[in-house]
Amino acid sequence: MLKPALTKAERIKARRAREEVNIFARMPAAYAASRGQAAKFLQRAGGLSVVEWRVLWDLSEAGPLSIREMASIQRVDHSQLSRALPGMRRKGFVTMERDAEDGRQMNVALTEAGRAAYAQAAPIMRKRREGLRRVFSAEELEQFAGLFDRLEEFLRQPVEDLLEEEKNP
């Protein structure tokens, strides 16, 4: 017996239902929403960019750091920071000096202007984190971070290994 053909609306609804559990499709949307929301908070906090905020926050909490150390903390490619830092230096937020022991490394430190920019933005960004804690419990946030750890581990697996698993179930 033949199944009746689905209408376009039914096909779209079915496809959308499958996409709801497609983590790969959901991540870019969540990332874009997160960056957009952070940018709106930061506009109210003095107009910092998300990258500037992350640098100021890292340096405020961890002291002077190399670009590589900040990239590790933030889980970003160091080139993203390398592009943003000269502008932050021009704004007077940070100083940058070559590492005395490893001349390839650049050490970054907060200036008074950087501390002031951080102090202005921190209360507003704290409200964002508090809002997240109203939506998720501490346990859920910890579980969420653990799931991200597992996802990152999966995504770092060599493609060849995953394709080999497919051949040998």
Side-chain angles (χ1 to χ4, degrees), residues 1 6 21 29 32-33 79 87 101 130 157 162 166 168:
M1 187 165 204
L6 296 177
V21 294
S79 64
E101 294 176 20
E130 289 168 355
Q157 284 183 331
L162 294 171
E166 188 179 282
N168 303 316

Side-chain angles (χ1 to χ4, degrees), residues 9 17 20-21 28-29 34 110 145 152 164:
E20 288 297 316
V21 294
S34 173
L110 274 181
E152 281 184 62
E164 188 61 35

